[in-house]
Amino acid sequence: MSFKKGLPVKIPFYLAVAIVLAALPMLIRSNYWVGTLNLAIIYSIAVLGLNIILGLTGQLNIAQAAFWGIGAYTAALLNTRLGWPFWATFLVAPPTAAAFGVILGFPTLKLSGRYLAMATIGFGIIINLILNNWKEFTGGVDGIPGITSPVLGPFRFSTNGSFYYLALACLILAALTQVKIKNSRMGRAFQAIKDNELAAELSGVDTFKYRVVAFALCSAYGGMAGQLFAHRTKYVSAETFFIDMSILFICMLMIGGAGSVAGSIVGACLLTFIPEWLRFLQGPWAMAIFGLAIVVIMIFMPTGLAGLAKSVGSKMAVRLRPESQKEPAELPREASH
Amino acid sequence: MFDITTLAQFLVTGLAMGSVYALVALSFALLYKAVGILNFAVGESVMVPAFIVVILLSVLRLPFLPAYLIIIGVMVFFGAVFHRTVYHPLRGRPFISVLVSTIGASLFLRNTSLLVFGADPRVSPALFQVQSVNFFGVFVPPQYLLIITTLIILVVFQYWLFEKTLLGKKMQATAQDRDMARLLGIPVDTIILITFIYAAILGGIAGILLAPIFYVTSDMGFMFALKAFASSIAGGLGSIPGAIVGGLFIGVVELFCAAYISATYRDVFAFIILIAVLLLRPQGFFGEKVSEKV
Amino acid sequence: MICGRWVYVLWSLSLVFSLFAGSLEAQTKTVVRVGFIAEQTGVASMSGERGIRATKLAERQVNTAGGVNGTPVEVGIYDNNSTTQGTVNAVNKAIEDKVIALSGPGRSTHIQAVSPIIKENAIPALIPGTAVQLTRQGNPWLFRVRPDDSIYGTAMAQFLMRDLKLTKIGIIHDADAFGTGGADIVTETMKKSNLTPVRRERYTVGTKDYTAQLLNIKNAGAEGVVLYTTNSEDAAVIFRQIKELGIKWKIVGCPATTSQVVIDLVKDASEGAYAAVDYFADANSQSKALRDAYFKEYNQEADFLTAYPYDTLVFLVDVMKRAGTTTDRNKIRETILATKGYKGAMGTYSFTPNGDGIHEANLVQIRGGKPQYIRTISVEQQ
């Protein structure tokens, strides 16, 4: 939908959303649930990263948790060993993760997509084992405790409620950046690679370069999410950043809707909250259902919930505003978000 | 430290572990060669039969042979269901779709078995009464010998199947060029189904062999799957002999590295080999030259 | 920008749900809530299940006896999924649910991670973790209900050197705080007798094959070996593989090696092995009572995995009775520290100012599938 039509309807809607978002911690009085919300936001950022490489560019990365972990450990180490504050680790963690992404991506992206998937598995395991065992540097299995809460000028973000705003700001930044990327030349190159890599290459797109860039962006997002995570939980330990989490990120993306910014966020939030709401769905129950959902979605709804919402939404739009039917025939520009 | 007995001990243990990796890698490579998919759930096709072995032998106290036959039957069913639900509906789509689907299947199977069988590690009764056979100071648990022997038998069987039987030739033809095979009147979908079933049976055999020497848990398949991937890549993705050699290679090298370099990083070596192969020689030992991106 | 308004609706709905879910959490009943951090799921769930059963048994017993001066006790089980991250979540949730005190976490690594949270929230936590530094880090809210590693580790090393008269000793330990700390203490104790371990091998918790480690120790000429394993599950594999490799060592293990989990899994592979344990069924009348009650209820042998959750709850109830409060955490804290000579199933509790409660351990040997008592060691506290 372009901004040209329906603008008056949209402003109150967005305003309402903004007010709800801003007031959320006050509305949800429980500290624990706000904490869970923060976690969902952090996951959303990581999944947004995954969306770039998998949703937009069509390459499978099964190591997003490793980049998440690299971001988290970078922040943890700089903060606890060198005393760097939040804003400093915020600036350094994503590029560090991206650097690792390039190191992994550069040699493997020269090969076909299958090899990338395998390589990311190997990379993720290696990173996890190093984080877990290099006691001198990473604290080994004991992890790194004592990370400080974010402090920006006169503002302390030490409670879940205050941290929420910080995390939300980062999420909005991440989401808007991605929307911009999607609608840019780079985004179109990604799409071309996803649709048909050979054709893209033949029409002059440097697929290798763009795939490396997509991979680096993905890992940068992961690093950002990791940095937030470290400052929120104030403790990092390698066992969190394991391939199981990478798989969960993939689940979140696929269920929410690969290729969709809103889908990435919705998927992350849903899969964080559902096991919490339905206590009996904790642990194995939730994971078994997610696994099944993936298979079902791949078969019937590959665009996930966002795709479903979009098709339902456009059908509803047709029915609600029949006058739009009378407009001059315009090739529907499916601006996928 | 480097005396011959110790080296021999490491070699035997390494070969035994490697044979297991090879079996799993074989199942994996078969599906890759036949239908071009990466089966992330290959480990679960080992774990599920292992649990069933425990149930049949420990709980229901069936004798070994009927239990094993039942498991083969179960795996036929498993392979067919897997094919029908996870692969068949997605058969036209890019391989990523199927890979993601198998990731979902793996997650589902792992957690469902956790719910059904519980989190306790299970013990399967040992096939052999004696704990270890002593060959000149090298202690070989008989189960290890069984594993290595089974691998050899399977390799010979598979060679016979693919090269000497009509079914095998049809399977090869389907793998090489599906459309051509269809034109030649080969029932491609059925052949693919059979391939899935055969791969599942291989997993079942691995599960049967493993149950007595590992404590069976719902996540045991996962690590085996990862090692199978590493073995396949090392041997050459899509190469059947490569999967076997890759598996044995990783089993042995991993153990030696664990013993002489660092035991805590034991699991890392397989993946270092994986990455190294991808960087230096992506086609592995026996694969065809992987063309650089067009 | 975003079509599919429904996506937003979906998202808003999901967030609104948290609102309701959040308000549903608040319950006001007159009970005393204790939070038990347990490995209900994850790699150590077999051990965790025993702890859950034991604490439930204790809950029933104290409530039958009238709770805390009439107020019933309710134990909330908070699952940590056997991971450190899970423990952080579990502890946060328990604190959120306004528990008066925590029983657990059980593992030293996990306790280390949540120590700042416990301190920040000023909530008493009775912990079984034995890594020495846990009570030496200035957290006044941690109370240890088992002997720490300086006692076990020293006892194990001394037993090998003095009783079994061995000089060539190897150590196999896991990379956790517990395993590594324990191995360090053993090494230090040996150093005092001018001995060094012939080989020290480390493994990551959850390893499935120990051939490399075991053969390295064997080739270094070890006659005796110290086993410092956090997980009983790992100890089980180690015992089995030692037997498979035909190695004949005198083995002295930490308490986890004698748990019923191990004995059930390895059958006779741990026969003859020694261990330093805290809980021992025949040690005193409380431990015997626990063994009988646990067996009657669950048809399983009690062991240290069951003893400390049981003891902790019974002890907490006793503390609250003596302190005369079920809400004042500071008073509870003071009362715990003032406890001297309390007799529990794990032994006699006398708390030192830094929070250590038990200062004795038992040496046992596994014979006939059961730990058989050898003697008790006690260490004077500074």
Side-chain angles (χ1 to χ4, degrees):
Chain A
M1 261 187 246
S2 70
F3 271 102
K4 282 177 268 183
K5 303 192 271 278
L7 194 60
V9 185
K10 285 184 123 112
I11 287 191
F13 179 75
Y14 283 129
L15 201 58
V17 168
I19 291 178
V20 168
L21 284 179
L24 216 44
M26 272 90 76
L27 296 173
I28 307 174
R29 267 158 290 113
S30 157
N31 187 45
Y32 182 76
W33 287 101
V34 177
T36 311
L37 182 59
N38 288 338
L39 197 59
I41 293 178
I42 290 172
Y43 288 158
S44 301
I45 297 178
V47 174
L48 277 172
L50 193 60
N51 189 36
I52 296 180
I53 189 76
L54 177 54
L56 299 182
T57 322
Q59 314 287 307
L60 187 54
N61 170 12
I62 314 182
Q64 186 65 336
F67 298 113
W68 185 45
I70 290 173
Y73 265 86
T74 306
L77 287 168
L78 291 173
N79 180 272
T80 55
R81 308 275 164 93
L82 297 179
W84 285 27
F86 178 83
W87 61 264
T89 59
F90 182 79
L91 291 174
V92 173
T96 310
F100 276 87
V102 173
I103 292 174
L104 173 64
F106 205 81
T108 46
L109 283 163
K110 288 202 185 98
L111 313 168
S112 83
R114 290 178 173 80
Y115 292 95
L116 178 70
M118 294 280 141
T120 57
I121 293 177
F123 176 77
I125 305 260
I126 292 176
I127 291 289
N128 174 271
L129 281 167
I130 293 178
L131 291 175
N132 216 5
N133 287 303
W134 195 2
K135 217 176 158 65
E136 301 74 31
F137 188 53
T138 64
V141 288
D142 295 335
I144 301 182
I147 306 172
T148 61
S149 291
V151 175
L152 294 180
F155 299 107
R156 273 198 79 92
F157 297 92
S158 55
T159 64
N160 273 330
S162 48
F163 192 88
Y164 164 78
Y165 293 108
L166 194 56
L168 186 65
C170 292
L171 177 62
I172 292 176
L173 174 68
L176 286 178
T177 310
Q178 186 160 130
V179 172
K180 271 210 136 37
I181 290 176
K182 263 181 97 161
N183 295 327
S184 73
R185 183 185 166 138
M186 183 157 48
R188 287 194 289 276
F190 291 158
Q191 182 72 40
I193 295 174
K194 178 181 178 187
D195 290 337
N196 188 332
E197 201 169 328
L198 187 55
E201 185 76 35
L202 288 176
S203 45
V205 177
D206 185 347
T207 61
F208 175 65
K209 175 181 112 184
Y210 280 111
R211 283 155 81 218
V212 174
V213 167
F215 202 71
L217 284 170
C218 167
S219 26
Y221 271 73
M224 180 201 229
Q227 185 256 359
L228 283 172
F229 181 79
H231 284 282
R232 177 198 167 252
T233 55
K234 306 207 255 248
Y235 168 80
V236 290
S237 131
E239 70 200 344
T240 314
F241 311 108
F242 191 53
I243 189 171
D244 284 344
M245 208 55 213
S246 297
I247 293 178
L248 187 61
F249 287 149
I250 294 177
C251 290
M252 291 174 175
L253 179 65
M254 299 311 297
I255 292 178
S260 154
V261 170
S264 310
I265 299 175
V266 168
C269 290
L270 272 181
L271 266 62
T272 307
F273 277 105
I274 289 181
E276 293 287 342
W277 291 325
L278 307 173
R279 276 260 117 164
F280 70 89
L281 269 199
Q282 293 263 323
W285 283 103
M287 296 311 281
I289 291 177
F290 293 157
L292 194 60
I294 292 280
V295 179
V296 168
I297 281 186
M298 286 317 292
I299 299 176
F300 298 111
M301 267 200 312
T303 45
L305 289 172
L308 185 67
K310 212 162 81 164
S311 64
V312 169
S314 42
K315 286 195 193 122
M316 294 292 296
V318 165
R319 249 184 272 156
L320 285 176
R321 285 193 275 129
E323 68 271 10
S324 67
Q325 295 279 54
K326 296 179 192 145
E327 296 203 359
E330 195 186 340
L331 273 176
R333 182 60 64 78
E334 273 295 313
S336 57
H337 51 272
Chain B
M1 189 83 147
F2 287 97
D3 62 291
I4 193 76
T5 322
T6 310
L7 289 174
Q9 184 77 60
F10 284 147
L11 190 62
V12 168
T13 309
L15 282 176
M17 286 303 294
S19 299
V20 177
Y21 295 158
L23 274 176
V24 185
L26 196 54
S27 171
F28 178 77
L30 210 63
L31 283 180
Y32 179 75
K33 203 169 151 85
V35 284
I37 67 164
L38 299 175
N39 179 13
F40 201 79
V42 67
E44 279 63 53
S45 70
V46 175
M47 179 266 292
V48 169
F51 263 116
I52 300 180
V53 164
V54 168
I55 301 292
L56 293 179
L57 293 180
S58 295
V59 178
L60 297 178
R61 294 188 194 279
L62 294 175
F64 287 105
L65 200 51
Y68 291 163
L69 291 175
I70 293 179
I71 288 174
I72 300 294
V74 168
M75 292 318 283
V76 169
F77 179 68
F78 181 94
V81 170
F82 192 80
H83 166 259
R84 199 68 190 77
T85 53
V86 178
Y87 167 74
H88 193 72
L90 296 169
R91 62 194 180 283
R93 310 255 204 97
F95 82 94
I96 278 198
S97 307
V98 184
L99 177 49
V100 173
S101 178
T102 61
I103 290 178
S106 160
L107 197 57
F108 174 73
L109 287 168
R110 255 189 294 152
N111 283 283
T112 310
S113 86
L114 188 56
L115 293 168
V116 169
F117 297 113
D120 297 351
R122 302 294 193 108
V123 193
S124 159
L127 202 49
F128 304 97
Q129 292 298 56
V130 64
Q131 198 90 25
S132 278
V133 177
N134 190 340
F135 278 142
F136 304 103
V138 179
F139 288 86
V140 187
Q143 193 72 12
Y144 286 10
L145 288 175
L146 180 64
I147 294 174
I148 298 175
T149 318
T150 309
L151 181 68
I152 296 176
I153 295 176
L154 265 173
V155 168
V156 170
F157 168 78
Q158 198 160 289
Y159 175 75
W160 170 81
L161 175 73
F162 281 147
E163 300 296 327
K164 305 286 181 201
T165 65
L166 188 57
L167 173 65
K169 297 216 173 106
K170 286 183 186 171
M171 286 165 89
Q172 283 200 66
T174 312
Q176 273 166 22
D177 190 334
R178 206 179 300 184
D179 296 317
M180 193 59 178
R182 202 171 270 136
L183 285 174
L184 290 174
I186 294 177
V188 160
D189 289 331
T190 315
I191 296 290
I192 293 180
L193 174 65
I194 293 177
T195 313
F196 267 85
I197 292 177
Y198 181 62
I201 292 177
L202 285 177
I205 295 177
I208 291 174
L209 290 172
L210 281 181
I213 53 175
F214 281 101
Y215 293 120
V216 181
T217 58
S218 57
D219 58 358
M220 69 185 290
F222 196 50
M223 234 338 155
F224 281 112
L226 299 180
K227 300 280 171 77
F229 300 156
S231 307
S232 277
I233 299 262
L237 204 54
S239 156
I240 303 292
I244 297 170
V245 171
L248 293 172
F249 177 70
I250 289 200
V252 172
V253 169
E254 181 181 76
L255 190 55
F256 274 94
C257 288
Y260 293 114
I261 302 179
S262 163
T264 30
Y265 283 98
R266 190 220 171 93
D267 285 330
V268 125
F269 296 111
F271 300 105
I272 291 182
I273 293 175
L274 168 71
I275 301 266
V277 166
L278 285 177
L279 295 180
L280 302 172
R281 195 190 151 91
Q283 71 269 34
F285 295 137
F286 297 117
E288 293 148 6
K289 188 103 179 75
V290 174
S291 52
E292 298 264 320
K293 284 312 297 168
V294 170
Chain C
M1 167 165 117
I2 315 275
C3 346
R5 217 164 276 187
W6 297 97
V7 168
Y8 271 128
V9 174
L10 203 73
W11 188 19
S12 326
L13 274 176
S14 57
L15 292 176
V16 164
F17 267 127
S18 339
L19 223 155
F20 286 126
S23 46
L24 278 175
E25 290 282 320
Q27 297 161 22
T28 40
K29 277 196 300 191
T30 39
V31 279
V32 176
R33 268 240 191 86
V34 174
F36 180 58
I37 313 289
E39 279 83 16
Q40 198 172 22
T41 57
V43 292
S45 56
M46 205 163 168
S47 315
E49 196 195 353
R50 303 181 138 254
I52 294 174
R53 289 182 169 174
T55 204
K56 285 281 175 198
L57 176 67
E59 182 190 34
R60 280 192 289 277
Q61 283 187 353
V62 301
N63 281 331
T64 315
V68 181
N69 299 328
T71 318
V73 174
E74 189 183 283
V75 172
I77 312 279
Y78 295 91
D79 179 24
N80 69 359
N81 200 27
S82 311
T83 63
T84 317
Q85 191 63 51
T87 309
V88 171
N89 292 342
V91 168
N92 278 327
K93 187 110 224 305
I95 292 177
E96 171 90 0
D97 284 348
K98 299 200 179 357
V99 299
I100 185 64
L102 292 170
S103 171
R107 303 247 212 94
S108 299
T109 302
H110 297 168
I111 299 167
Q112 187 73 49
V114 297
S115 179
I117 305 177
I118 290 175
K119 189 171 177 185
E120 205 179 300
N121 284 279
I123 178 169
L126 283 87
I127 52 160
T130 55
V132 178
Q133 76 267 23
L134 292 174
T135 49
R136 313 269 152 103
Q137 285 169 339
N139 185 339
W141 295 95
L142 291 177
F143 304 99
R144 202 199 304 265
V145 294
R146 290 174 73 206
D148 67 29
D149 277 328
S150 59
I151 300 174
Y152 288 127
T154 315
M156 286 155 71
Q158 285 179 347
F159 183 74
L160 272 169
M161 292 187 295
R162 296 190 197 150
D163 290 65
L164 299 177
K165 303 211 189 329
L166 297 175
T167 51
K168 302 217 180 83
I169 299 170
I171 308 177
I172 179 164
H173 69 100
D174 64 32
D176 260 23
F178 171 76
T180 317
D184 286 338
I185 291 176
V186 169
T187 312
E188 260 173 55
T189 315
M190 290 174 66
K191 212 191 295 188
K192 289 190 191 137
S193 301
N194 287 324
L195 281 179
T196 41
V198 295
R199 183 87 189 186
R200 190 172 142 155
E201 286 286 334
R202 194 173 73 156
Y203 68 89
T204 326
V205 165
T207 302
K208 301 274 190 260
D209 174 61
Y210 299 87
T211 312
Q213 288 93 335
L214 294 175
L215 283 181
N216 282 342
I217 298 179
K218 177 182 173 200
N219 289 332
E223 307 161 311
V225 146
V226 169
L227 233 55
Y228 237 104
T229 64
T230 308
N231 280 352
S232 303
E233 291 81 356
D234 297 337
V237 183
I238 294 177
F239 274 123
R240 211 198 62 221
Q241 287 198 311
I242 291 177
K243 188 159 184 213
E244 270 170 11
L245 288 169
I247 304 178
K248 309 233 186 300
W249 284 326
K250 295 264 188 281
I251 304 174
V252 180
C254 64
T257 60
T258 64
S259 82
Q260 207 53 40
V261 169
V262 175
I263 299 178
D264 288 339
L265 281 175
V266 305
K267 311 281 169 16
D268 59 355
S270 64
E271 195 71 9
Y274 301 93
V277 300
D278 40 3
Y279 171 75
F280 184 70
D282 289 320
N284 58 45
S285 56
Q286 279 85 359
S287 59
K288 285 189 186 124
L290 170 59
R291 192 245 329 263
D292 294 335
Y294 190 79
F295 192 80
K296 185 163 172 222
E297 186 89 19
Y298 298 112
N299 211 18
Q300 269 184 342
E301 287 294 328
D303 58 15
F304 79 99
L305 291 168
T306 50
Y308 69 77
Y310 176 89
D311 249 13
T312 300
L313 191 65
V314 175
F315 178 62
L316 255 177
V317 168
D318 181 79
V319 163
M320 285 191 278
K321 282 189 194 154
R322 280 184 284 134
T325 171
T326 58
T327 48
D328 187 343
R329 284 178 181 158
N330 262 306
K331 200 123 201 345
I332 291 176
R333 180 178 168 266
E334 284 162 17
T335 315
I336 295 178
L337 284 177
T339 307
K340 303 260 185 275
Y342 171 91
K343 289 200 186 306
M346 304 265 285
T348 309
Y349 294 73
S350 295
F351 279 87
T352 56
N354 68 318
D356 286 314
I358 299 201
H359 315 289
E360 60 196 25
N362 299 308
L363 277 173
V364 299
Q365 185 184 28
I366 313 248
R367 283 201 297 272
K370 278 197 194 336
Q372 309 283 357
Y373 181 74
I374 300 181
R375 69 162 184 280
T376 312
I377 338 145
S378 55
V379 176
E380 290 309 312
Q381 284 298 295
Q382 298 87 356

